[in-house]
Amino acid sequence: MANRIKLVKGDITKIEVDAIVNAANSSLLGGGGVDGAIHRAGGKAILEECIAIRNKQGGCQTGEAVITTGGSLDAKYVIHTVGPVWNKVKTKLSMLLANCYQNSLQLAVEHQVKTIAFPNISTGIYRYPKNKAATVAVNTVKDFLEAHDTIEQVIFVCFDDENYEIYQALLGGDNDVL
Ligand code: AR6
């Protein structure tokens, strides 16, 4: 199990994997943060495919995931998922965040993806507390990998120092800094 989960600090658009996951919003039309970086690096093909999905199914609900090609990225696919916006009053936020990881991994399996990289979904503009989000992310990915052996590697890509340190503490071991 341990060697199927890797931690990297850096920019997810630079990771060489079959699929990278995007922390999108329900419009699928792009935005700031990692979403903006992926659309900038991947070119207009990704946005065009997102618009086609939107026209067909009306965007993407919180916790759900959709898949496009990787456009001009190294990754073959981008899996777009919509994390929950942190709000202390609401319940079920951790379940919605877990759904993001689970549904993204399910789509990956369906597309024969063997290596996949995740950003720290919801921990930027959506303000989900980083330590709480990391616990959900790691537990959900571990549970999924135990049940699915076609995924060879999941890479958690941390952009900011705080997330990287939290994941280091949770995962331990040697990690890469890009
Ligand atoms: N590579 C990897 N991680 C990154 C990168 C990058 N290039 N850039 C930022 N991060 P955020 P959210 C990290 O705000 O909280 C968008 O406008 C960042 O440090 O991108 O899910 C969407 O369209 C943080 O830890 O996503 C939505 O409207 C993590 O990515 C909204 O933001 C997530 O931060 C989604 O908010």
Side-chain angles (χ1 to χ4, degrees), residues 47-132:
L47 182 61
E48 284 166 4
E49 289 176 59
C50 282
I51 290 169
I53 293 167
R54 190 182 143 86
N55 290 341
K56 204 170 141 201
Q57 66 175 53
C60 183
Q61 301 288 309
T62 303
E64 300 297 316
V66 301
I67 191 164
T68 65
T69 68
S72 48
L73 293 167
D74 287 333
K76 188 173 179 197
Y77 298 110
V78 176
I79 295 172
H80 307 260
T81 189
V82 181
V85 180
W86 179 255
N87 174 344
K88 283 182 186 143
V89 180
K90 282 189 190 161
T91 53
K92 296 189 187 166
L93 293 182
S94 65
M95 195 189 77
L96 290 169
L97 185 60
N99 287 349
C100 289
Y101 287 90
Q102 211 170 337
N103 288 324
S104 297
L105 288 164
Q106 190 58 46
L107 265 183
V109 168
E110 288 163 15
H111 289 79
Q112 288 81 44
V113 164
K114 293 193 179 344
T115 54
I116 179 168
F118 280 96
N120 309 132
I121 299 164
S122 284
T123 68
I125 292 161
Y126 283 176
R127 305 183 316 276
Y128 205 108
K130 291 176 182 176
N131 54 350
K132 287 187 166 62

Side-chain angles (χ1 to χ4, degrees), residues 10-13 23-25 30-35 37 119-127 130 157-160 163:
D11 178 352
I12 201 165
T13 64
N25 62 61
V34 71
D35 195 6
N120 309 132
I121 299 164
S122 284
T123 68
I125 292 161
Y126 283 176
R127 305 183 316 276
K130 291 176 182 176
V157 182
C158 298
F159 196 64
D160 57 274
N163 264 315

Side-chain angles (χ1 to χ4, degrees), residues 5-9 156 164 167-169 171-178:
I5 297 180
K6 192 175 163 187
L7 175 60
V8 168
K9 184 166 191 300
F156 288 113
Y164 185 66
Y167 275 81
Q168 257 187 326
L171 295 170
D174 294 328
N175 308 297
D176 292 348
V177 179
L178 285 186

